[in-house]
């Protein structure tokens, strides 16, 4: 289609042909039947009329957008065109092109049916007319010997499949000489055009929403991006073309964000429809120089492993649960518990990634995945706000968001699509009335909700300890418990991450695994210790082992550093009552399943521990004194505004460090 290449190096001017054929006084619009486009350097103008097929400026200069012109109007400020989009095969997402079942014809386009795609574009992005051949039935071959400038339509693309096209859809629109929507008659009234600022906010939500957990764009996101490109192309590229015209007809410029700064001394304008990018490296990233550097990179907690060892059964159970709900179109809830660092969140993310791959291959129905984290919220009621925003891109107050979600999950699910909601750090969403937890567990039980909720917490018996009966009853019996890793499992995790990179002696790996397994079974702590051991080995100099690998001495030094901080030294030097108080804090945290408790709750545990140890229990004033001393050492975080029974207490060190210090003592 060299005839329609859009690398134009000249300016274009647009003007209406004749007088307007109708007016809409309510919307302040004037409708026209045709428009002329004059191109600099050409003697004849190009005319586009209603019903014609046109080319619209897009991101790819060689393949501009194709559309059928339905309406032309102006509101006194700019020219606007209403179009019916067509798509080329290059605009269809890569993972969906195989659904065609054959190789596309070089001149083939597809009727685009997607109600979420905006059909209004800037009239000054129209490049000209294009000839589209007659509709070709599915069973007929494409015509041969036709000009390369002619396009053919045979099928319809609805963002999910290619289907046979109804020939009536290819009929030209009615003339604009018919009465406008606001005139007399029984015709339906045209809806007002949405505000541009609202459309931009909605489009920004479409472009940023999605599955963060997988790091991969889903099919629905790709389609939304395609729709968004059509919406923004008429505006962003129009501005781009006008900036080229200002500098001269023979100069092609790239989009300059500060082009207006040199011509207008006014306040700088914020660029719109610009995708932020990361500057390219001046030099490639440095590759690991030796085996120890390679091992250190592989053992970092942010490094994505090729597989999740030692969690195969948990993975299969969660996968089967979610898959059955998605296929059956029903709702459900699963409570996943386990101590930190046991792979709960990583396993769920891997399950969702595998299910999304199955959905892309049409093995299971498509579903939406959204995730919230209690750690990232200032208030538990913000959960309602985040869920609503990720589902509908709508912002509301917590109470209003809860009401809208209640209405959404009580009515039939839109488009019959299941929603999978992951709620991490569930214990931080606890409130006195427990209304947030109740909603999360109650919505999946609704008949038309089609909602699957996966909740993750650190305490196995959280429902029985802090949930009232009406909340715990909604949770059901579907639970999954992640046990702490054993030393053999930790050793297998490290070995799988190293992946045949020989950097550790076998005894050194076993020592790290046994030490961490005996304390907490936290895989992240194990990885941190191994990484520190590689650094010690690399800079040890004369203390390097004969094999050049990380040995027992390096691991022991890393363990001493990890468990010999100033906090641990302070705990070891604390008095007996202060150490007992720290043990009472941890015991109460584990009883509640939370990371915060009041002084009164901890004091009860402290008195019980005193009796167990054969010591005289302290009174309230003595207990408050002990608590204040620990707070002054920054071992505890205390509420600064009060000093009474309801003083709130948090740990300022990890529970592992406290247990290690007390155990060693």
């Amino acid at each position: 289609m060299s005839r329609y290449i859009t690398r134009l190096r000249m300016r274009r001017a647009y003007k209406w042909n004749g007088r307007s054929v109708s007016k809409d006084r309510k919307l302040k619009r004037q409708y026209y039947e045709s428009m002329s486009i004059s191109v600099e350097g050409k003697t004849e103008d190009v005319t586009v009329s209603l019903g014609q097929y046109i080319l619209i400026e897009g991101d790819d200069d060689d393949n501009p957008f194709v559309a059928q012109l339905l309406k032309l109007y102006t509101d006194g400020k700019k020219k606007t065109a209403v179009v019916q989009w067509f798509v080329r095969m290059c605009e269809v997402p890569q993972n969906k092109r195989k659904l065609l079942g054959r190789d596309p014809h070089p001149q083939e386009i597809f009727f685009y049916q997607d109600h979420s795609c905006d059909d209004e574009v800037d009239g000054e992005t129209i490049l000209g007319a294009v000839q589209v051949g007659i509709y070709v039935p599915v069973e007929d071959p494409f015509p041969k010997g036709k000009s390369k400038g002619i396009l053919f339509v045979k099928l319809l693309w609805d963002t999910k499949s290619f289907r046979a096209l109804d020939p009536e859809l290819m009929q030209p629109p009615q003339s604009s000489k018919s009465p406008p929507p606001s005139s007399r008659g029984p015709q339906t009234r045209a809806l007002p055009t949405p505000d541009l600022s609202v459309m931009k906010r909605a489009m920004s939500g479409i472009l940023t929403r999605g599955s963060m957990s997988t790091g991969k764009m889903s099919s629905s996101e790709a389609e939304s991006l395609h729709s968004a490109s059509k919406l923004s192309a008429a505006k962003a590229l129009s501005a781009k073309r006008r900036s080229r015209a200002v500098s001269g007809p023979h100069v092609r410029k790239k989009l300059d964000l500060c082009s207006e700064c040199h011509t207008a001394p006014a306040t700088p304008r914020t660029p719109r429809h610009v995708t932020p990018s990361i500057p390219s490296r001046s030099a490639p990233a440095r590759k690991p120089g030796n085996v120890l550097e390679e091992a250190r990179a592989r053992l970092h907690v942010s490094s994505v492993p090729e597989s999740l060892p030692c969690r195969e059964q948990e993975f299969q159970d969660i996968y089967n649960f979610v898959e059955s709900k998605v296929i059956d179109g029903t709702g459900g809830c699963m409570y996943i518990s386990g101590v930190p660092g046991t792979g709960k969140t990583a396993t769920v993310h891997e399950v969702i990634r595998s299910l999304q791959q199955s959905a892309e291959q049409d093995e299971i129905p498509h579903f939406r995945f959204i995730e919230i984290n209690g750690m990232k919220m200032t208030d538990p009621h913000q959960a309602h706000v985040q869920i609503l925003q990720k589902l509908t891109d709508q912002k509301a107050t917590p109470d209003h968001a809860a009401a809208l979600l209640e209405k959404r999950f009580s009515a039939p699910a839109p488009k019959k699509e299941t929603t999978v909601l992951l709620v991490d750090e569930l214990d931080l969403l606890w409130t006195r009335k427990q209304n947030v937890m109740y909603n999360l567990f109650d919505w999946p039980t609704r008949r038309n909700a089609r909602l699957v909720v996966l909740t993750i917490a650190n305490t196995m018996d959280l429902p029985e300890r802090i949930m009232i009966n009406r909340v715990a009853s909604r949770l059901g019996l579907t639970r999954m418990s992640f046990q702490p890793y054993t030393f053999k499992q930790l050793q297998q995790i490290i070995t799988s991450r190293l992946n045949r990179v020989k950097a550790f002696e076998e005894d050194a790996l076993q020592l790290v695994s046994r030490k961490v397994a005996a304390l907490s079974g936290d895989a992240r702590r194990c990885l941190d210790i191994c990484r520190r051991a590689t650094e010690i080995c690399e800079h040890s100099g004369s203390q390097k082992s004969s094999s050049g690998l990380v040995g027992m001495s390096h691991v022991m030094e890393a363990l001493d550093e990890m468990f010999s901080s100033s906090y641990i030294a302070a705990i070891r030097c604390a008095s007996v009552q202060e150490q007992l108080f720290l043990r009472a804090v941890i015991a109460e945290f584990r009883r509640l399943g939370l990371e915060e408790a009041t002084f009164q709750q901890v004091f009860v545990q402290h008195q019980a521990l005193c009796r167990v140890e054969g010591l005289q229990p302290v009174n309230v004033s003595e207990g408050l004194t002990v608590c204040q001393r620990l707070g002054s050492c920054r071992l505890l975080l205390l509420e600064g505004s009060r000093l009474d029974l309801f003083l709130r207490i948090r740990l300022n060190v990890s529970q592992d460090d406290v247990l290690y210090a007390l155990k060693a003592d």
Side-chain angles (χ1 to χ4, degrees):
M1 295 185 60
S2 58
R3 176 181 176 186
Y4 299 111
I5 289 180
T6 62
R7 293 192 179 93
L8 301 179
R9 299 169 182 261
M10 63 286 290
R11 290 175 288 184
R12 296 194 293 270
Y14 298 79
K15 63 180 180 179
W16 300 117
N17 288 339
R19 302 177 62 182
S20 61
V21 295
S22 62
K23 296 182 180 180
D24 189 333
R25 295 183 179 179
K26 188 172 183 179
L27 299 178
K28 298 181 181 180
R29 293 177 178 176
Q30 294 184 355
Y31 291 85
Y32 293 83
E33 281 197 336
S34 62
M35 181 173 61
S36 296
I37 307 173
S38 59
V39 183
E40 185 179 22
K42 294 187 178 181
T43 57
E44 296 182 359
D45 294 348
V46 178
T47 301
V48 292
S49 305
L50 300 187
Q52 276 190 312
Y53 296 91
I54 57 175
L55 294 175
I56 299 177
E57 192 170 3
D59 297 326
D60 187 354
D61 292 336
D62 293 326
N63 295 297
F65 294 136
V66 181
Q68 186 179 22
L69 185 59
L70 304 182
K71 292 181 182 179
L72 283 170
Y73 69 86
T74 180
D75 57 1
K77 297 180 180 179
K78 69 173 185 177
K79 301 176 176 63
T80 303
V82 180
V83 299
Q84 166 59 53
W85 292 107
F86 291 78
V87 296
R88 308 172 190 266
M89 180 56 77
C90 61
E91 298 177 52
V92 177
Q94 185 73 31
N95 60 335
K96 294 291 186 179
R97 297 178 186 178
K98 62 181 180 180
L99 298 178
L100 183 61
R102 58 173 173 82
D103 293 333
H105 192 275
Q107 298 165 239
E108 183 178 10
I109 58 175
F110 306 94
F111 188 94
Y112 189 51
Q113 190 176 63
D114 182 10
H115 300 296
S116 64
C117 182
D118 194 276
D119 59 355
E120 292 187 351
V121 299
D122 188 346
E124 296 189 359
T125 59
I126 299 176
L127 301 176
V130 62
Q131 185 177 356
V132 175
I134 59 174
Y135 164 71
V136 181
V138 177
E139 62 275 4
D140 293 351
F142 287 96
K144 296 182 179 180
K146 296 289 185 179
S147 170
K148 292 185 178 180
I150 301 178
L151 303 175
F152 300 102
V153 183
K154 178 179 285 192
L155 298 174
L156 175 149
W157 170 245
D158 62 358
T159 75
K160 293 184 179 180
S161 62
F162 294 94
R163 297 189 286 108
L165 175 63
D166 186 355
E168 294 183 0
L169 295 176
M170 298 289 293
Q171 297 298 324
Q174 295 181 354
S175 173
S176 296
K177 293 181 180 180
S178 57
S182 61
S183 62
R184 293 175 295 176
Q187 299 178 356
T188 57
R189 184 175 59 187
L191 295 176
T193 303
D195 184 71
L196 286 179
S197 61
V198 177
M199 294 168 62
K200 292 173 182 177
R201 289 198 301 269
M203 187 54 53
S204 65
I206 291 174
L207 291 174
T208 57
R209 183 175 67 242
S211 171
M212 295 184 289
S213 62
T214 61
K216 175 181 176 183
M217 181 178 291
S218 64
S219 302
S220 60
E221 288 174 314
E223 290 295 342
S224 299
L225 181 61
H226 168 69
S227 303
S229 65
K230 290 185 179 296
L231 172 65
S232 60
K235 302 169 185 176
L237 291 175
S238 173
K240 181 180 178 180
R241 189 183 67 248
R242 284 195 293 270
S243 67
R244 291 199 300 264
V246 171
S247 61
H250 303 293
V251 181
R252 177 180 174 86
K253 293 176 58 179
K254 293 184 178 180
L255 183 61
D256 186 2
L257 301 183
C258 300
S259 59
E260 299 183 6
C261 300
H262 305 291
T263 58
T267 304
R269 294 176 58 187
T270 303
R272 299 185 181 277
H273 303 294
V274 178
T275 303
S277 60
I278 300 176
S280 58
R281 294 177 179 269
S282 57
R286 187 175 67 88
K287 295 183 179 180
N290 52 50
V291 175
L292 294 178
E293 288 186 4
E294 176 71 18
R296 194 152 55 244
R298 291 173 178 266
L299 293 174
H300 199 281
V301 291
S302 64
S303 176
V304 180
E306 298 178 358
S307 62
L308 290 172
C310 309
R311 289 296 181 229
E312 292 80 5
Q313 186 59 48
E314 289 84 354
F315 173 89
Q316 193 62 48
D317 292 343
I318 300 174
Y319 186 96
N320 292 340
F321 174 80
V322 180
E323 182 188 40
S324 63
K325 300 299 181 184
V326 173
I327 294 176
D328 297 339
T330 57
C333 181
M334 173 179 279
Y335 179 78
I336 303 170
S337 61
V339 297
T342 52
K344 302 183 297 296
T345 305
T347 302
V348 173
H349 283 165
E350 184 66 18
V351 167
I352 297 300
R353 188 187 66 82
S354 300
L355 287 170
Q356 287 174 337
Q357 287 182 349
S358 299
E360 290 175 359
Q361 299 171 2
D362 294 328
E363 296 176 358
I364 62 173
H366 286 264
F367 64 93
R368 292 191 61 182
F369 172 67
I370 58 177
E371 178 182 2
I372 62 173
N373 192 315
M375 188 73 72
K376 300 178 181 178
M377 301 179 194
T378 57
D379 183 79
H381 295 91
Q382 288 294 322
H384 296 147
V385 178
Q386 290 194 15
I387 295 173
L388 179 67
Q389 186 173 2
K390 292 181 179 182
L391 278 177
T392 64
D393 292 328
Q394 183 178 356
K395 293 183 179 180
T397 61
D399 292 339
H400 188 205
L404 293 176
L405 290 172
E406 176 75 19
K407 182 178 179 181
R408 177 185 178 91
F409 293 127
S410 299
K415 299 182 181 179
K416 301 297 182 183
E417 189 177 50
T418 299
T419 300
V420 179
L421 169 63
L422 172 61
V423 184
D424 208 349
E425 304 291 349
L426 174 70
D427 45 1
L428 298 179
L429 299 182
W430 182 88
T431 59
R432 186 174 61 84
K433 295 183 179 180
Q434 301 189 14
N435 53 341
V436 177
M437 287 187 176
Y438 179 81
N439 289 335
L440 291 175
F441 297 149
D442 183 56
W443 287 333
T445 64
R446 307 292 175 84
R447 180 179 179 182
N448 298 316
R450 298 178 68 103
L451 175 65
V452 181
V453 177
L454 303 175
T455 59
I456 298 178
N458 294 333
T459 308
M460 183 175 63
D461 53 352
L462 179 69
E464 289 77 17
R465 287 187 174 181
I466 70 171
M467 293 183 185
I468 57 180
N469 291 335
R470 74 185 186 104
V471 178
S473 63
R474 291 296 189 275
L475 180 58
L477 300 176
T478 307
R479 303 189 185 185
M480 171 68 60
S481 178
F482 281 65
Q483 300 299 323
Y485 288 114
T486 64
F487 83 91
K488 290 185 178 180
Q489 291 176 330
L490 290 173
Q491 194 169 350
Q492 183 179 348
I493 290 172
I494 299 173
T495 305
S496 65
R497 278 182 172 258
L498 292 175
N499 193 15
R500 296 185 296 275
V501 175
K502 185 65 174 177
F504 286 80
E505 295 179 355
E506 291 295 332
D507 293 341
L509 276 184
Q510 188 174 148
L511 175 61
V512 176
S513 304
R514 286 184 179 275
K515 283 282 188 180
V516 176
L519 187 62
S520 62
D522 189 339
R524 291 173 295 190
R525 178 63 65 94
C526 191
L527 294 175
D528 290 340
I529 294 174
C530 290
R531 293 184 70 250
R532 178 56 184 152
T534 60
E535 294 175 350
I536 294 173
C537 178
E538 190 171 9
H539 299 92
S540 60
S542 60
Q543 296 182 0
K544 285 188 178 181
S545 60
S546 58
S547 60
L549 305 178
V550 178
M552 297 282 286
S553 60
H554 307 123
V555 169
M556 287 299 299
E557 187 175 346
L559 286 168
D560 290 339
E561 286 185 7
M562 191 68 68
F563 296 112
S564 299
S565 64
S566 58
Y567 287 110
I568 293 179
I571 295 173
R572 289 174 176 173
C573 296
S575 66
V576 175
Q577 290 294 343
E578 290 170 351
Q579 291 181 353
L580 283 178
F581 195 87
L582 288 174
R583 288 173 55 187
V585 170
I586 294 178
E588 185 61 21
F589 284 179
R590 292 185 173 180
R591 186 186 73 83
L592 293 175
L594 302 174
E595 296 293 330
E596 181 179 286
T598 64
F599 170 79
Q600 184 180 26
Q601 294 169 324
V602 176
F603 183 69
V604 173
Q605 293 279 358
H606 186 202
Q607 286 188 314
L609 286 174
C610 287
R611 295 188 182 97
V612 170
E613 297 293 337
L615 302 174
Q616 179 67 30
V618 298
N619 56 35
V620 175
S621 61
E622 291 173 340
L624 283 172
T625 303
V626 170
C627 182
Q628 278 188 301
R629 284 203 301 267
L630 293 174
S632 63
C633 296
R634 305 302 293 171
L635 294 174
L636 294 179
L637 297 177
L638 307 180
E639 188 178 8
S641 60
R642 66 194 308 169
L643 184 61
D644 53 24
L645 292 176
F646 299 101
L647 170 71
R648 289 184 293 182
I649 300 172
R650 294 181 68 94
L651 275 175
N652 196 31
V653 292
S654 68
Q655 295 187 20
D656 289 349
D657 290 342
V658 176
L659 293 176
Y660 178 81
L662 296 177
K663 185 177 181 180
D665 185 68

